[in-house]
């Protein structure tokens, strides 16, 4: 497969996974969204989620590992996965279209006909039918495949899974469209009396988008089936087009629900507005440093290992030694960003704990913005300087000077600074705790006294975890720098160790905030309790 196929396919898979996963989360976590129609939507979203999670990734794994070239008599596991989830998506979509058809054209009959038990029966039958079809197709391929049985299987699947679903959905959509048009015309004819048909209109628009993409997708599959029928030895040679369109079909569905299904759209808006404007209690000066560090760590996780993986698969990153590869530039930038933002966070906590009165006047909002901006500008400047040095004036002397400067400012100074700040905070909290206990003993004979130092303790624990992982990570980098300084021709040969530790450093940070920073921990618990 071409490189564009993998890029497009993986992007569409990511959209299908995130979109459908969000729809599943939204409907399952909100009780008033537990309606009969949304049951069909969740079932379809699960099928589409599995399509995004399995089809392109399974092809990618097979292409990289070369382990799926089975004998022709045996269906590959990637084919079985694609059959199963594509059939599930087709049958669940048909059941959703029929549900909307009955609800719009025969609303009174819908109330008595589409009971909860019947909804469960329809959804269960869709899943059972999909597994049965895949089992029959696999068994036919394994034990009794002949030219005649192959043609019969292609015809049956073409009619039941391609022609019939397309025709059924188009007819249902046309009927719903005519019904809504008549309703709208009669409402306008009556003048002042207003009949609200917005709900029906949005349902028809949603169905139109979903059905349109579905027909375009399965039209390609239908063409392939007709090619095979005309010549059993022929090959469609269109996998690089029809597989992305299949995943696109699964990625489009959640967007249509989010924009045109009114209850999901309403909850989606409420959730987005709540996250943008409803967490004002978390907009503190310390959390500004945490957000800046989280953005840097997010970029580390998003770029460092994926860029190495992309280079290894496509073989496009072996540039001449004088030119720094784009994956190296990305790694330098986001690792420097992470280091500088973590140092600024540690200094913020050091001043807040050791000198709390000075912190109020010194760490203003404008100074917070200045420090964060300086961290980002310094990171970009360092990367630009290092890249320019590599391109235009690299000599053994300049290489050693660059390594020494970066080793001092990005490895030794951050580690020493953070260890000293942590030791000072730990000593301060220990002294405070001891004086508090002494004071409590002196006053206990009069009445019960309790002094809480939990806030400072949790801050120190959080900083201890973050700094400990950081020092371990950059200790490996420091070893490599020292090796290069003593021998410019030496190679560290430790990329397979230090890259995962770098990403681990970025992965540990949010866990430490969630468990030990009290305001984030409280909000995290509240969010989990809402979902559960």
């Amino acid at each position: 497969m071409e490189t564009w196929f993998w890029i497009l396919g993986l992007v569409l898979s990511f959209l299908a996974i995130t979109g459908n996963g969000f729809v599943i989360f939204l409907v399952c976590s909100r009780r008033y969204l537990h309606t009969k129609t949304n049951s069909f939507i969740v079932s379809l979203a699960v099928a589409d989620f599995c399509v995004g999670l399995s089809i392109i990734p399974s092809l990618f794994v097979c292409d990289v590992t070369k382990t799926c070239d089975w004998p022709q008599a045996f269906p590959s596991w990637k084919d079985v996965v694609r059959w199963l989830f594509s059939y599930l998506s087709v049958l669940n979509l048909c059941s959703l279209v029929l549900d909307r058809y009955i609800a719009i054209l025969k609303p009174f009959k819908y109330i008595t006909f589409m009971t909860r038990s019947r909804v469960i029966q329809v959804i269960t039958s869709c899943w059972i039918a999909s597994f049965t079809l895949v089992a029959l197709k696999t068994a036919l391929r394994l034990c009794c495949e002949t030219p005649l049985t192959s043609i019969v299987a292609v015809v049956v699947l073409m009619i039941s899974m391609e022609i019939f679903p397309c025709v059924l959905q188009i007819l249902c959509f046309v009927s719903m469209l005519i019904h809504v048009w008549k309703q709208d015309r009669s409402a306008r004819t009556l003048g002042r009396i207003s009949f609200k048909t917005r709900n029906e209109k949005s349902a028809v628009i949603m169905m139109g988008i979903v059905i349109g993409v579905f027909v375009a997708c399965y039209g390609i599959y239908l063409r392939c089936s007709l090619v095979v029928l005309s010549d059993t030895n022929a090959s469609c040679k269109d996998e690089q087009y029809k597989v992305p369109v299949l995943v696109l079909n699964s990625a489009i569905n959640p967007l249509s629900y989010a924009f045109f299904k009114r209850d999901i759209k309403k909850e989606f808006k409420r959730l987005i507005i709540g996250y943008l404007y409803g967490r004002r209690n978390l907009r503190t000066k310390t959390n500004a440093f945490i957000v800046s560090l989280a953005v840097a760590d997010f970029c580390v996780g998003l770029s460092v290992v994926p860029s190495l993986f992309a280079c290894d698969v496509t073989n496009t990153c072996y540039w001449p030694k004088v030119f720094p590869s784009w994956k190296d530039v990305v790694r330098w930038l986001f690792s420097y960003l992470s280091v500088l933002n973590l140092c600024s966070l540690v200094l913020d906590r050091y001043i807040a704990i050791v000198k709390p009165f000075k912190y109020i006047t010194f760490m203003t909002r404008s100074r917070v913005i200045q420090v964060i901006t300086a961290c980002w500008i310094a990171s970009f400047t360092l990367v630009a300087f290092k890249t320019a040095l590599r391109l235009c004036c690299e000599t053994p002397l300049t290489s050693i000077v660059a390594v020494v400067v970066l080793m001092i400012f990005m490895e030794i100074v951050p580690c020493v600074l953070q260890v000293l700040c942590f030791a000072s905070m730990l000593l301060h909290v220990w002294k405070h705790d001891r004086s508090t206990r002494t004071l409590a003993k002196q006053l206990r004979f009069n009445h019960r006294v309790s002094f809480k130092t939990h806030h400072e303790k949790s801050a120190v624990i959080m900083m201890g975890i973050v700094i400990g992982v950081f020092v371990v990570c950059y200790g490996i980098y420091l070893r490599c720098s020292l090796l290069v300084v003593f021998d410019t021709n030496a190679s560290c040969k430790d990329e397979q160790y230090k890259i995962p530790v770098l990403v681990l450093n970025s992965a540990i940070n949010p866990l430490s905030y969630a468990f030990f920073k009290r305001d984030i921990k409280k909000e995290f618990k509240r969010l989990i309790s809402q979902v559960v």
Side-chain angles (χ1 to χ4, degrees), residues 267 288 296 356 431 434 446 486 502:
E267 185 57 35
K431 287 180 178 179
R434 188 180 62 174
N446 283 332
F486 288 115
L502 173 65

Side-chain angles (χ1 to χ4, degrees), residues 72-178:
Q72 195 172 4
F74 295 92
S76 174
W77 63 271
K78 71 178 183 343
D79 296 326
V80 173
V81 164
R82 186 164 76 237
W83 299 338
L84 175 61
F85 295 127
S86 60
Y87 296 166
L88 271 171
S89 184
V90 171
L91 293 176
N92 278 291
L93 182 56
C94 288
S95 64
L96 174 62
V97 170
L98 286 172
D99 172 82
R100 291 296 80 205
Y101 171 79
I102 299 168
I104 291 173
L105 266 71
K106 299 178 180 180
F108 297 109
K109 188 176 181 181
Y110 180 83
I111 297 168
T112 56
F113 176 76
M114 198 60 74
T115 58
R116 287 194 174 273
S117 59
R118 186 160 278 118
V119 169
I120 294 169
Q121 291 169 8
V122 172
I123 291 172
T124 307
S125 63
C126 289
W127 284 77
I128 292 172
S130 301
F131 278 95
T132 306
L133 277 170
V134 172
L136 288 172
K137 190 173 181 179
T138 306
L140 189 69
R141 179 78 71 86
L142 288 173
C143 62
C144 50
E145 187 175 31
T146 63
L148 180 61
T149 55
S150 297
I151 291 172
V152 170
V154 169
V155 169
V156 169
L157 288 170
M158 182 179 69
I159 293 171
S160 60
M161 300 306 296
E162 292 166 8
I163 295 174
F164 178 73
C166 289
V167 172
L168 172 71
Q169 292 180 40
I170 290 170
L171 290 176
C172 288
F173 176 69
V174 170
S175 300
M176 287 189 287
L177 196 64
I178 292 171

Side-chain angles (χ1 to χ4, degrees), residues 5 87 95 113 137 212 222 263 299 358 385 397 409 461 489 516 519:
F5 172 84
Y87 296 166
S95 64
F113 176 76
K137 190 173 181 179
L222 181 59
D263 53 351
C299 294
K358 188 176 181 180
F385 169 74
L397 179 61
F409 286 103
I461 291 169
N489 297 318
F516 295 106
D519 53 351

Side-chain angles (χ1 to χ4, degrees), residues 172-218:
C172 288
F173 176 69
V174 170
S175 300
M176 287 189 287
L177 196 64
I178 292 171
H179 175 80
V180 169
W181 177 71
K182 286 181 179 179
Q183 286 281 89
D184 190 51
R185 189 179 62 176
S186 61
R188 280 189 277 106
T189 303
L190 289 172
R192 291 182 181 179
I193 303 174
S194 62
F195 294 91
K196 291 185 179 180
T197 58
R198 286 184 184 177
N199 197 17
E200 292 180 348
K201 279 184 178 179
S202 61
V204 171
I205 292 169
M206 179 188 78
M207 287 291 98
I209 295 168
V210 172
I211 292 167
V213 177
F214 175 85
V215 170
C217 169
Y218 281 86

